[in-house]
Amino acid sequence: MAITGDGIENLQNQHEEGMTEPLLLVEEGGKKGDARGVGKGGNPWMIYFCTFVAVCGSYEFGACTGYSSPTQTAIREDLNLSLSEYSVFGSILTFGAMIGAITSGPIADSIGRKWTLRVAAAFCVAGWLAIYFAEGAIALDIGRLSSGYGMGAFSYVVPVFVAEMAPKNRRGVLTAFNQLMICAGGSVVFIIGTVLSWRALALTCLIPCAVLLLGLFFIPESPRWLAKTGQDKEFEAVLQKLRGEDADVSDEAAEIQDYIETLERLPKAKLLDLFRKRYRHSVTDENNWSMACHSHSSGFSSTVGTITYAILQVVITAIGAVLVDQAGRKPLLLISGSGIVAACLLVAVSFFLKAHDWATTVSPILAVAGILLYVGSFSVGMGAVPWVVMAEIFPVNIKGVAGGFATLVNWFGAWLISYTFNYLMSWSSYGTFILYAAINLLGIVFIALVVPETKGRSLEQIQAAINKDTA
């Protein structure tokens, strides 16, 4: 980024140095007037309702990913599609998601979080209708690409919206509901897809979009986005609404406004700015997690008890959502990563025994145990927590660019691992999972040494701590 004039550069350096200290010190315990604790003066039901509306987008995300599995045979027979044509239909979703991911951040910064949710829902509605009325491969692919775009946009804007309006003591669990609803959407679509026609199943996927679009009329915009765009009266009114009529929001409002004013004095963020020293830590954290998660999640087939897999994933993700604000983000990531390493090694041992025709009765038991361990380990941490932290660690002035970029890396990782998996398996079945275990082991080391703990901090306090560490 080019900066002209010594005065501007000196001003920027002064503010970067100034932000290494917390902007506002808060007494522990949170009295009634301390809205950041949202203790006795809080308004949890409004926050829960806002979260419910937003995570309908997450449910839609899961529905998009789960649709192609139970419908493959029926769609191919009805429309006379070849295997390659159906493969395009299944995989083009990921390319739509990449486009949605990289564009949703700037859109969310420009027109707001609520309107971005509307845009995403509109693309999903158009996509499902195109699939429902499809009479050939082209209409199917257009519909799948459109729903993929909406899914990619949802994957960024939902956790960001929830994190920006949630109080610090509930932010982890509320943001983790993003992943829980993704799992629920995929599981429900797969299960009901076994009894419904593929066209009827496409129509059921319109329901979460309808609930989301209706609910958006009754919930406020993100207070931090309102503050960032200079809508001060609306910002204070929304913050009061979220925290409750009796809550004193003056301290929280002052902290947010002070932080926003400091950031606004800096030049507008661009993509290359993400690699500057002050942002490099946050961006590196999120993108490494994204690649690490997908280096494992795409490595398992759903052929072994898919319904059991889906139900277990939902249950464990719910447990992780409850624990994220109690145990903290970092411990869950470390436990999750360790479990995934163990799971990959179990599957690797299973394939090794099978390849050498040893212990043939033990081999399938190890494979199933590895898959179940993977599902539980991934769901409790790596599945949900990176989305939580992604919504927490980026400053509001680069959140759109950085969040979109991180989400793009996530979807690129999904495509890359899916594409290379069969090639790796043809090279060495057990070697593939040893490789996955090694990658995740490096991820554990990275988490232990670099990733900050964000539990119990306001978004502004998180930024102060990160800037202090990187100063």
Side-chain angles (χ1 to χ4, degrees), residues 19-32:
M19 289 185 62
T20 61
E21 298 298 327
L23 295 171
L24 190 64
L25 296 177
V26 186
E27 293 182 3
E28 294 295 327
K31 48 191 178 184
K32 181 177 179 179

Side-chain angles (χ1 to χ4, degrees), residues 140-163:
L140 276 177
D141 293 343
I142 292 174
R144 191 70 166 163
L145 185 68
S146 178
S147 60
Y149 180 93
M151 182 180 73
F154 279 136
S155 67
Y156 164 73
V157 73
V158 171
V160 166
F161 176 74
V162 174

Side-chain angles (χ1 to χ4, degrees), residues 63-373:
C64 290
T65 59
Y67 178 80
S68 60
S69 182
T71 58
Q72 177 173 349
T73 302
I75 291 178
R76 288 190 61 193
E77 290 178 353
D78 289 354
L79 301 183
N80 194 28
L81 300 183
S82 66
L83 180 60
S84 61
E85 287 176 322
Y86 190 84
S87 297
V88 171
F89 170 72
S91 62
I92 202 171
L93 181 79
T94 305
F95 289 95
M98 290 184 195
I99 300 171
I102 199 63
T103 59
S104 59
I107 291 173
D109 280 351
S110 176
I111 64 175
R113 304 348 184 184
K114 284 179 62 178
W115 271 106
T116 306
L117 287 169
R118 290 187 176 103
V119 170
F123 270 93
C124 285
V125 169
W128 289 120
L129 291 177
I131 291 173
Y132 176 78
F133 289 108
E135 296 296 337
I138 295 178
L140 276 177
D141 293 343
I142 292 174
R144 191 70 166 163
L145 185 68
S146 178
S147 60
Y149 180 93
M151 182 180 73
F154 279 136
S155 67
Y156 164 73
V157 73
V158 171
V160 166
F161 176 74
V162 174
E164 288 184 345
M165 62 91 187
K168 66 180 182 182
N169 63 329
R170 294 192 180 103
R171 190 177 61 243
V173 64
L174 293 178
T175 310
F177 269 97
N178 170 62
Q179 180 68 18
L180 177 62
M181 293 299 284
I182 291 172
C183 297
S187 301
V188 170
V189 165
F190 181 85
I191 293 171
I192 66 175
T194 60
V195 296
L196 294 179
S197 70
W198 62 272
R199 295 187 191 272
L201 186 62
L203 290 182
T204 66
C205 295
L206 294 172
I207 296 174
C209 291
V211 176
L212 172 66
L213 291 172
L214 179 63
L216 286 172
F217 287 106
F218 302 99
I219 65 174
E221 179 57 90
S222 159
R224 285 177 170 83
W225 181 81
L226 292 171
K228 177 178 177 291
T229 54
Q231 303 178 58
D232 295 339
K233 291 184 178 179
E234 292 85 351
F235 157 66
E236 293 178 2
V238 166
L239 195 61
Q240 191 73 64
K241 184 176 183 179
L242 289 172
R243 301 300 184 253
E245 294 181 0
D246 299 330
D248 181 1
V249 300
S250 58
D251 283 352
E252 184 178 16
E255 181 179 11
I256 294 172
Q257 289 280 30
D258 191 18
Y259 183 71
I260 295 292
E261 289 173 5
T262 302
L263 291 176
E264 287 300 317
R265 295 172 186 173
L266 302 178
K268 186 176 180 180
K270 300 176 182 177
L271 184 61
L272 292 178
D273 294 347
L274 302 183
F275 304 98
R276 293 176 55 214
K277 183 179 179 181
R278 75 180 275 109
Y279 304 132
R280 193 183 305 138
H281 184 74
S282 300
V283 175
T284 303
D285 283 356
E286 187 56 37
N287 291 330
N288 273 304
W289 290 343
S290 297
M291 291 296 290
C293 289
H294 281 286
S295 70
H296 300 89
S297 61
S298 300
F300 289 95
S301 171
S302 60
T303 56
V304 182
T306 305
I307 294 178
T308 302
Y309 176 107
I311 294 174
L312 179 63
Q313 189 176 34
V314 172
V315 172
I316 300 298
T317 301
I319 295 173
V322 173
L323 292 176
V324 69
D325 274 328
Q326 300 176 12
R329 284 59 156 161
K330 196 166 182 175
L332 286 181
L333 286 170
L334 292 173
I335 293 170
S336 175
S338 300
I340 291 174
V341 170
C344 289
L345 292 177
L346 280 175
V347 177
V349 171
S350 173
F351 275 114
F352 181 81
L353 294 176
K354 182 179 179 181
H356 293 81
D357 201 22
W358 296 341
T360 55
T361 57
V362 176
S363 177
I365 297 175
L366 291 177
V368 173
I371 291 173
L372 294 179
L373 177 60

Side-chain angles (χ1 to χ4, degrees), residues 27-69:
E27 293 182 3
E28 294 295 327
K31 48 191 178 184
K32 181 177 179 179
D34 186 359
R36 283 165 300 175
V38 191
K40 298 178 182 178
N43 186 22
W45 293 112
M46 174 53 70
I47 294 168
Y48 295 154
F49 180 64
C50 291
T51 302
F52 166 75
V53 172
V55 297
C56 287
S58 305
Y59 185 96
E60 179 67 17
F61 177 157
C64 290
T65 59
Y67 178 80
S68 60
S69 182

